Amino acid sequence: MSSSFGQIFKISTFGESHGAGIGVVVDGVPSGIELFREDIQKELDRRRPGQSLMTTKRSEADQVEILSGVFRNTTTGAPIGLLIRNKDTDSSKYDAIEDLYRPGHADYTYDKKYALRDHRGGGRSSGRETACRVAAGAIARKMLKLKGIDILAATIQVQDVYAQKWLDDEIENNSIRTADPDVAEEMANRVKAAMRNADSVGGVLECRVKGLPVGLGEPLYDKLDAMLAHAMFSIGTVRGLTFGNGFEASGLLGSENNDAMEGGSFASNRCGGILGGLSNGMPIIMKIAIKPTPSIATYQATIDKSGQDQKIRVEGRHDPCICPRAVPVVEAMTALVLADAILLNKCQNW
Amino acid sequence: MSSSFGQIFKISTFGESHGAGIGVVVDGVPSGIELFREDIQKELDRRRPGQSLMTTKRSEADQVEILSGVFRNTTTGAPIGLLIRNKDTDSSKYDAIEDLYRPGHADYTYDKKYALRDHRGGGRSSGRETACRVAAGAIARKMLKLKGIDILAATIQVQDVYAQKWLDDEIENNSIRTADPDVAEEMANRVKAAMRNADSVGGVLECRVKGLPVGLGEPLYDKLDAMLAHAMFSIGTVRGLTFGNGFEASGLLGSENNDAMEGGSFASNRCGGILGGLSNGMPIIMKIAIKPTPSIATYQATIDKSGQDQKIRVEGRHDPCICPRAVPVVEAMTALVLADAILLNKCQNW
Amino acid sequence: MSSSFGQIFKISTFGESHGAGIGVVVDGVPSGIELFREDIQKELDRRRPGQSLMTTKRSEADQVEILSGVFRNTTTGAPIGLLIRNKDTDSSKYDAIEDLYRPGHADYTYDKKYALRDHRGGGRSSGRETACRVAAGAIARKMLKLKGIDILAATIQVQDVYAQKWLDDEIENNSIRTADPDVAEEMANRVKAAMRNADSVGGVLECRVKGLPVGLGEPLYDKLDAMLAHAMFSIGTVRGLTFGNGFEASGLLGSENNDAMEGGSFASNRCGGILGGLSNGMPIIMKIAIKPTPSIATYQATIDKSGQDQKIRVEGRHDPCICPRAVPVVEAMTALVLADAILLNKCQNW
Amino acid sequence: MSSSFGQIFKISTFGESHGAGIGVVVDGVPSGIELFREDIQKELDRRRPGQSLMTTKRSEADQVEILSGVFRNTTTGAPIGLLIRNKDTDSSKYDAIEDLYRPGHADYTYDKKYALRDHRGGGRSSGRETACRVAAGAIARKMLKLKGIDILAATIQVQDVYAQKWLDDEIENNSIRTADPDVAEEMANRVKAAMRNADSVGGVLECRVKGLPVGLGEPLYDKLDAMLAHAMFSIGTVRGLTFGNGFEASGLLGSENNDAMEGGSFASNRCGGILGGLSNGMPIIMKIAIKPTPSIATYQATIDKSGQDQKIRVEGRHDPCICPRAVPVVEAMTALVLADAILLNKCQNW
């Protein structure tokens, strides 16, 4: 497996959904950054299950322990070890489907690759691992904030309901984490309807980054957009990604799509803040397609380990729409990429 | 900069648009693969400029020289050095715009990051570098073919013209490289119209991979889709990427989106061939948004190095639509990712 | 910091001497390897402090917990998280020397690099971190044993006492871990004498690896000897390293030094099992210079943070000769390099 | 293979002894460094064959061409491609020994690993590759010099002749590159005697680095000594390495070995300039064991590809003592490690 991400600011995660716990080693954090356990916990609280009716009923307090790398509430430059114990690991629901492949899940592909698999709650392929990303990302976010860089993601689509506006301050005020309060309830209703039908719904997130300096990213192969794309598609539920006007650019003329410059800066931001793989000082704008949660309690056709046709109903405790909990994950991965890009950029000067 | 890509099958490229030449070191190629210069040249010929009216008039033969790593037409396991000399480097057109930032280009961001920049033809940020990717990718493609793996990309949209069907054998029969011969002429007309207006157009490519075994990819952070995304967004002109049904999944219910299994395999391929970050044996399907070529001979607003407002007209010799020449680049980057994934997957067995 | 090692079989460690605990994420372990907690614990027991009079009196049970990656006593291919809680962390002895730089230690250099430093017991630079290497190395050793590869290190010199023979089975029978039982007592006496004088002694280890296949190592830059050297010098106490006849070769003629071949194999092993950076099927022979433990309770001249001259006496609890406890560390690092080399070598075949 | 070295300042080399040429891509060089072809050529001239009677008679001008990354004699931040064409490639001498394994060479191990091998002049395993290291190292040296860092290596032992003093300015004044002019002739005589007997001799190099700041190196696994060791043992001819007093430390007491501090700095330098894996501001001192050149024109026992016993006499054109030509290679590898360490160290500040 490849359980690490980043070049200088580097994380290595471990843990399964129903094992002893999950954790992450965050290496490359410069010394001298003030860091409290609460800085990390508050981000984990945004991601943790059981926040509302719309998220899985698994009740994990997700209390993080800082094992190393922080002395007197300050980073020392040493790797920061973070541990989150699993508490509410009811694996009984998984016994019945140990030999079945859940549609839309990694069960079949993991079985073929690794021959052996911890089937309980998806094991290593569980979304639970994203808590480690959020914990590590919290450190990166704190560092970015010191430089005036803000990352904000929100749900902009749930099934067929689209946000029409973006109000930063509204995102945490509704359970779906949309920046458009006018559609929050309608979005929530789509989720509840899916729940009632033992089904799930997909959506789209947008992520915005403000305050970036010009020149972050390492062309040609570690362009800032390439690294962000790597990060986004490393999240299990992501199906598509665009920067700026994305697929809309495909339908435009060059004269319509280019961002002109005037008064020392850019007159528009169709490119979404990245030019030639480097940040251009404008906000980064990403849109991220989130698929409907594959775990549904409706009967679906599948096969078992021996290749026989079977029917499966995934009971467990699952999010009918993962969008609100994906918001902090997208933010965290963005923060990890940006912290790494800033550190790498320092190597440009002799 | 970061001019290398891949972990085991690894490339390191160098070269500028108007320098002495461009090249690539391909390391990690196993020994014993039959390889002729012509295997590489034929792929370069598909990418090289001057193939039709629709592509840049720069006339580069792009003759590749194999400098190392091949003995008696067989790879030895040693790194393969490839060199392509630049021939037709008319830099005079660039003198006038040395201090201006071309809209949609990396000029501004490179200047801010590196302070100094080879402005001639875009220097390092030029699309010319993609010839190195195609050359290296040709080796990967030959290796993949030995395992029955085929990669095929085509143009499926030009401005507002969409392909409606996909015929493998038609792609190389039209100058736009679409798999739908019925719209090829209409697509070409859009390109010609833009050309006449000193403008350019964008489009969309689709890339299909058949014959993959199950289990390629290294979760969690080097998932197959994450690596492909990294590769695709490392191509300068790419603005969006989806796998399978992409953003369409965002509007579906879980019961509509999951790919059921029956008869030992998958009943559908909405996921686009990747589950849990691993290939699932179905074809990989990617859609890639290509922006309109930013170099246009129409006057645009920009600024110069001192920050003063200016007008710029990019003369040079440019592709009014980069889609047909992006096809072999997308295929090459896909091949590099897959060859690497196959080699990494060997490390799963003890 | 750079707290990870290895390319495919990869470790990431964390933890300080007097913090909450130390640990390691071991990634890249193939699935299907039988693994019990006891496999790891027994190696840790060989390294842990307090084994004899000659080692530090710090009493750490060093009980390891497997947090992930193992299911039903078998590796799953997922990263293996290992945690060792610190128990006996008496930091009081370090209060007095918080602002002093211990000679021979990393105190001064860490302070200059990181500005801030966890001074308790050396913090991150403590030899305690090697427990993580031993724990990870235990997994690698078990894997290597499945392939008939044995690693054995022993003390061959303590101060001016030299081993004259090598009996595999004697190493664990004496507290100094020498393979020559005839000098074991004399070596131990040197250590005891140093102890009595509040001093310490250095020594030399030899490490032998048998059963390796031909061809391990990745030339040119990741030659097997280069990787082993990287590993050995990553151990804080190592000052020198040779392969085979080492510096003796410098005094020989080519005709005296070359290993002739006959009967299908090598007639001698002056090269120490590695030719051209690749294992040649003969035993690997390394000799490793170990410096005397720098922590001594004798007064030494040093400076404090403000640059003033001071006297320091390092009390704490320290090993008067680190050789016996360095033996399992050297074996572990060797095992990590070899497991990685075997996995990388699989990428040589298509 | 693994033909790249370095993390930020990164080289990727290619080429065989008797192929079209050899070369290197140097990536990660910051922009704005003045660089002339002559800066590189003059270092290559120090390494190139045919400088004196004592070195191989192969006559390679080793003219380097800068293919990219330099614009108006200044680095641009883009990768610097360097090419050296092979000219005097007389492979005829190798025809007779195509199926024989030269003792002390990589022939046997490469054949087992890669199945196929370019036997002409050792192919990829030839010392000729080190020209690429010297070329890349020349760039690093120039950069280090801007920071007042000097690297100087010299021969301190040839067979049984030992240098007794070190005069910086004498090194380039004698063909053996020793810093002790009093033994230069005697050393040269040892080499000539070996030559007359169709034999070769080994020796020892010392490398000294002055002017380093405190704190270079990335503990725990990329300690400065670990990186230097990796670099040194990646040179084919190296058999041993020590820092500071090396194996001598093994015989000392802690009180004898520790470097006390006074007056704000170190009172001695037994540790050789590195403490806890970080530079401590004192000169780095390495000693490097060089084996006698394995290519000798005396008959030796060996086997052929089919495993049959054979006699071999290696004619070709070989250095009877590689020490003087190893001097610039050791310096170059040291420079590469230090340039990388300085760049990585910049990531310690936020």
PDB file of all heavy atoms in Angstrom, chain B residues 83-101:
ATOM      1  N   LEU B  83      16.788  11.876 -26.712  1.00  0.00           N
ATOM      2  CA  LEU B  83      17.056  13.274 -27.042  1.00  0.00           C
ATOM      3  C   LEU B  83      16.374  13.669 -28.343  1.00  0.00           C
ATOM      4  O   LEU B  83      16.419  12.933 -29.327  1.00  0.00           O
ATOM      5  CB  LEU B  83      18.576  13.489 -27.177  1.00  0.00           C
ATOM      6  CG  LEU B  83      19.036  14.904 -27.545  1.00  0.00           C
ATOM      7  CD1 LEU B  83      18.648  15.917 -26.471  1.00  0.00           C
ATOM      8  CD2 LEU B  83      20.548  14.930 -27.780  1.00  0.00           C
ATOM      9  N   ILE B  84      15.717  14.824 -28.307  1.00  0.00           N
ATOM     10  CA  ILE B  84      15.101  15.401 -29.508  1.00  0.00           C
ATOM     11  C   ILE B  84      15.679  16.801 -29.671  1.00  0.00           C
ATOM     12  O   ILE B  84      15.454  17.677 -28.832  1.00  0.00           O
ATOM     13  CB  ILE B  84      13.562  15.489 -29.359  1.00  0.00           C
ATOM     14  CG1 ILE B  84      12.969  14.108 -29.089  1.00  0.00           C
ATOM     15  CG2 ILE B  84      12.944  16.126 -30.599  1.00  0.00           C
ATOM     16  CD1 ILE B  84      11.522  14.148 -28.594  1.00  0.00           C
ATOM     17  N   ARG B  85      16.420  16.992 -30.704  1.00  0.00           N
ATOM     18  CA  ARG B  85      16.986  18.323 -30.952  1.00  0.00           C
ATOM     19  C   ARG B  85      15.898  19.282 -31.427  1.00  0.00           C
ATOM     20  O   ARG B  85      15.017  18.894 -32.190  1.00  0.00           O
ATOM     21  CB  ARG B  85      18.067  18.233 -32.041  1.00  0.00           C
ATOM     22  CG  ARG B  85      19.316  17.474 -31.627  1.00  0.00           C
ATOM     23  CD  ARG B  85      20.242  18.362 -30.823  1.00  0.00           C
ATOM     24  NE  ARG B  85      21.424  17.625 -30.358  1.00  0.00           N
ATOM     25  CZ  ARG B  85      22.311  18.133 -29.524  1.00  0.00           C
ATOM     26  NH1 ARG B  85      22.186  19.373 -29.065  1.00  0.00           N
ATOM     27  NH2 ARG B  85      23.336  17.421 -29.120  1.00  0.00           N
ATOM     28  N   ASN B  86      15.961  20.513 -30.984  1.00  0.00           N
ATOM     29  CA  ASN B  86      15.100  21.549 -31.557  1.00  0.00           C
ATOM     30  C   ASN B  86      15.729  22.024 -32.856  1.00  0.00           C
ATOM     31  O   ASN B  86      16.927  22.254 -32.913  1.00  0.00           O
ATOM     32  CB  ASN B  86      14.959  22.725 -30.593  1.00  0.00           C
ATOM     33  CG  ASN B  86      14.146  22.372 -29.360  1.00  0.00           C
ATOM     34  OD1 ASN B  86      13.313  21.478 -29.395  1.00  0.00           O
ATOM     35  ND2 ASN B  86      14.407  23.081 -28.278  1.00  0.00           N
ATOM     36  N   LYS B  87      14.926  22.178 -33.894  1.00  0.00           N
ATOM     37  CA  LYS B  87      15.458  22.614 -35.181  1.00  0.00           C
ATOM     38  C   LYS B  87      14.897  23.976 -35.579  1.00  0.00           C
ATOM     39  O   LYS B  87      15.596  24.931 -35.826  1.00  0.00           O
ATOM     40  CB  LYS B  87      15.094  21.590 -36.278  1.00  0.00           C
ATOM     41  CG  LYS B  87      15.552  20.167 -35.987  1.00  0.00           C
ATOM     42  CD  LYS B  87      17.043  19.999 -36.235  1.00  0.00           C
ATOM     43  CE  LYS B  87      17.411  18.511 -36.134  1.00  0.00           C
ATOM     44  NZ  LYS B  87      18.846  18.292 -36.155  1.00  0.00           N
ATOM     45  N   ASP B  88      13.575  24.031 -35.625  1.00  0.00           N
ATOM     46  CA  ASP B  88      12.918  25.208 -36.184  1.00  0.00           C
ATOM     47  C   ASP B  88      12.564  26.197 -35.072  1.00  0.00           C
ATOM     48  O   ASP B  88      11.406  26.401 -34.747  1.00  0.00           O
ATOM     49  CB  ASP B  88      11.662  24.742 -36.940  1.00  0.00           C
ATOM     50  CG  ASP B  88      10.953  25.913 -37.622  1.00  0.00           C
ATOM     51  OD1 ASP B  88      11.552  27.004 -37.721  1.00  0.00           O
ATOM     52  OD2 ASP B  88       9.800  25.725 -38.035  1.00  0.00           O
ATOM     53  N   THR B  89      13.594  26.792 -34.476  1.00  0.00           N
ATOM     54  CA  THR B  89      13.341  27.670 -33.339  1.00  0.00           C
ATOM     55  C   THR B  89      13.464  29.135 -33.720  1.00  0.00           C
ATOM     56  O   THR B  89      14.483  29.772 -33.506  1.00  0.00           O
ATOM     57  CB  THR B  89      14.336  27.369 -32.199  1.00  0.00           C
ATOM     58  OG1 THR B  89      15.652  27.399 -32.761  1.00  0.00           O
ATOM     59  CG2 THR B  89      14.092  26.037 -31.564  1.00  0.00           C
ATOM     60  N   ASP B  90      12.419  29.621 -34.304  1.00  0.00           N
ATOM     61  CA  ASP B  90      12.377  31.032 -34.677  1.00  0.00           C
ATOM     62  C   ASP B  90      11.886  31.833 -33.473  1.00  0.00           C
ATOM     63  O   ASP B  90      10.693  31.864 -33.184  1.00  0.00           O
ATOM     64  CB  ASP B  90      11.434  31.209 -35.874  1.00  0.00           C
ATOM     65  CG  ASP B  90      11.232  32.682 -36.195  1.00  0.00           C
ATOM     66  OD1 ASP B  90      11.918  33.543 -35.594  1.00  0.00           O
ATOM     67  OD2 ASP B  90      10.388  32.966 -37.055  1.00  0.00           O
ATOM     68  N   SER B  91      12.830  32.434 -32.772  1.00  0.00           N
ATOM     69  CA  SER B  91      12.466  33.137 -31.534  1.00  0.00           C
ATOM     70  C   SER B  91      12.148  34.609 -31.759  1.00  0.00           C
ATOM     71  O   SER B  91      11.765  35.310 -30.827  1.00  0.00           O
ATOM     72  CB  SER B  91      13.613  33.043 -30.514  1.00  0.00           C
ATOM     73  OG  SER B  91      14.023  31.719 -30.341  1.00  0.00           O
ATOM     74  N   SER B  92      12.290  35.045 -33.014  1.00  0.00           N
ATOM     75  CA  SER B  92      12.173  36.485 -33.267  1.00  0.00           C
ATOM     76  C   SER B  92      10.815  37.035 -32.863  1.00  0.00           C
ATOM     77  O   SER B  92      10.697  38.139 -32.340  1.00  0.00           O
ATOM     78  CB  SER B  92      12.433  36.764 -34.751  1.00  0.00           C
ATOM     79  OG  SER B  92      11.496  36.044 -35.543  1.00  0.00           O
ATOM     80  N   LYS B  93       9.781  36.226 -33.062  1.00  0.00           N
ATOM     81  CA  LYS B  93       8.428  36.660 -32.723  1.00  0.00           C
ATOM     82  C   LYS B  93       8.278  36.971 -31.237  1.00  0.00           C
ATOM     83  O   LYS B  93       7.354  37.661 -30.824  1.00  0.00           O
ATOM     84  CB  LYS B  93       7.401  35.588 -33.118  1.00  0.00           C
ATOM     85  CG  LYS B  93       7.252  35.418 -34.618  1.00  0.00           C
ATOM     86  CD  LYS B  93       6.207  36.368 -35.170  1.00  0.00           C
ATOM     87  CE  LYS B  93       6.040  36.276 -36.679  1.00  0.00           C
ATOM     88  NZ  LYS B  93       6.135  34.951 -37.251  1.00  0.00           N
ATOM     89  N   TYR B  94       9.157  36.380 -30.454  1.00  0.00           N
ATOM     90  CA  TYR B  94       9.016  36.527 -29.008  1.00  0.00           C
ATOM     91  C   TYR B  94       9.738  37.748 -28.442  1.00  0.00           C
ATOM     92  O   TYR B  94       9.524  38.125 -27.300  1.00  0.00           O
ATOM     93  CB  TYR B  94       9.479  35.251 -28.297  1.00  0.00           C
ATOM     94  CG  TYR B  94       8.560  34.097 -28.575  1.00  0.00           C
ATOM     95  CD1 TYR B  94       8.815  33.214 -29.622  1.00  0.00           C
ATOM     96  CD2 TYR B  94       7.415  33.924 -27.818  1.00  0.00           C
ATOM     97  CE1 TYR B  94       7.948  32.166 -29.893  1.00  0.00           C
ATOM     98  CE2 TYR B  94       6.538  32.883 -28.077  1.00  0.00           C
ATOM     99  CZ  TYR B  94       6.813  32.006 -29.122  1.00  0.00           C
ATOM    100  OH  TYR B  94       5.944  30.986 -29.385  1.00  0.00           O
ATOM    101  N   ASP B  95      10.602  38.332 -29.264  1.00  0.00           N
ATOM    102  CA  ASP B  95      11.363  39.481 -28.765  1.00  0.00           C
ATOM    103  C   ASP B  95      10.437  40.611 -28.317  1.00  0.00           C
ATOM    104  O   ASP B  95      10.643  41.231 -27.277  1.00  0.00           O
ATOM    105  CB  ASP B  95      12.323  40.004 -29.850  1.00  0.00           C
ATOM    106  CG  ASP B  95      13.428  39.009 -30.146  1.00  0.00           C
ATOM    107  OD1 ASP B  95      13.590  38.052 -29.342  1.00  0.00           O
ATOM    108  OD2 ASP B  95      14.114  39.152 -31.170  1.00  0.00           O
ATOM    109  N   ALA B  96       9.407  40.821 -29.138  1.00  0.00           N
ATOM    110  CA  ALA B  96       8.514  41.947 -28.871  1.00  0.00           C
ATOM    111  C   ALA B  96       7.735  41.777 -27.576  1.00  0.00           C
ATOM    112  O   ALA B  96       7.252  42.746 -26.993  1.00  0.00           O
ATOM    113  CB  ALA B  96       7.537  42.119 -30.045  1.00  0.00           C
ATOM    114  N   ILE B  97       7.564  40.526 -27.133  1.00  0.00           N
ATOM    115  CA  ILE B  97       6.718  40.317 -25.949  1.00  0.00           C
ATOM    116  C   ILE B  97       7.512  39.792 -24.755  1.00  0.00           C
ATOM    117  O   ILE B  97       6.948  39.253 -23.809  1.00  0.00           O
ATOM    118  CB  ILE B  97       5.532  39.369 -26.269  1.00  0.00           C
ATOM    119  CG1 ILE B  97       6.062  38.009 -26.775  1.00  0.00           C
ATOM    120  CG2 ILE B  97       4.618  39.994 -27.313  1.00  0.00           C
ATOM    121  CD1 ILE B  97       4.949  36.970 -26.924  1.00  0.00           C
ATOM    122  N   GLU B  98       8.814  40.002 -24.821  1.00  0.00           N
ATOM    123  CA  GLU B  98       9.655  39.498 -23.726  1.00  0.00           C
ATOM    124  C   GLU B  98       9.212  40.009 -22.357  1.00  0.00           C
ATOM    125  O   GLU B  98       9.298  39.288 -21.368  1.00  0.00           O
ATOM    126  CB  GLU B  98      11.123  39.880 -23.975  1.00  0.00           C
ATOM    127  CG  GLU B  98      12.014  39.471 -22.829  1.00  0.00           C
ATOM    128  CD  GLU B  98      13.507  39.635 -23.106  1.00  0.00           C
ATOM    129  OE1 GLU B  98      13.885  39.931 -24.258  1.00  0.00           O
ATOM    130  OE2 GLU B  98      14.288  39.452 -22.173  1.00  0.00           O
ATOM    131  N   ASP B  99       8.749  41.237 -22.313  1.00  0.00           N
ATOM    132  CA  ASP B  99       8.386  41.803 -21.012  1.00  0.00           C
ATOM    133  C   ASP B  99       6.884  41.822 -20.755  1.00  0.00           C
ATOM    134  O   ASP B  99       6.417  42.400 -19.779  1.00  0.00           O
ATOM    135  CB  ASP B  99       8.949  43.228 -20.894  1.00  0.00           C
ATOM    136  CG  ASP B  99      10.465  43.205 -20.807  1.00  0.00           C
ATOM    137  OD1 ASP B  99      11.001  42.194 -20.301  1.00  0.00           O
ATOM    138  OD2 ASP B  99      11.098  44.173 -21.250  1.00  0.00           O
ATOM    139  N   LEU B 100       6.142  41.174 -21.652  1.00  0.00           N
ATOM    140  CA  LEU B 100       4.683  41.132 -21.468  1.00  0.00           C
ATOM    141  C   LEU B 100       4.251  39.744 -20.998  1.00  0.00           C
ATOM    142  O   LEU B 100       4.887  38.745 -21.332  1.00  0.00           O
ATOM    143  CB  LEU B 100       3.993  41.440 -22.815  1.00  0.00           C
ATOM    144  CG  LEU B 100       4.285  42.799 -23.444  1.00  0.00           C
ATOM    145  CD1 LEU B 100       3.428  42.964 -24.706  1.00  0.00           C
ATOM    146  CD2 LEU B 100       3.963  43.915 -22.445  1.00  0.00           C
ATOM    147  N   TYR B 101       3.196  39.709 -20.237  1.00  0.00           N
ATOM    148  CA  TYR B 101       2.667  38.428 -19.779  1.00  0.00           C
ATOM    149  C   TYR B 101       1.526  37.997 -20.684  1.00  0.00           C
ATOM    150  O   TYR B 101       0.490  38.662 -20.747  1.00  0.00           O
ATOM    151  CB  TYR B 101       2.191  38.546 -18.338  1.00  0.00           C
ATOM    152  CG  TYR B 101       3.288  38.927 -17.377  1.00  0.00           C
ATOM    153  CD1 TYR B 101       3.133  39.964 -16.471  1.00  0.00           C
ATOM    154  CD2 TYR B 101       4.507  38.239 -17.389  1.00  0.00           C
ATOM    155  CE1 TYR B 101       4.145  40.304 -15.591  1.00  0.00           C
ATOM    156  CE2 TYR B 101       5.530  38.578 -16.513  1.00  0.00           C
ATOM    157  CZ  TYR B 101       5.343  39.623 -15.620  1.00  0.00           C
ATOM    158  OH  TYR B 101       6.341  39.950 -14.762  1.00  0.00           O
TER     159      TYR B 101
END
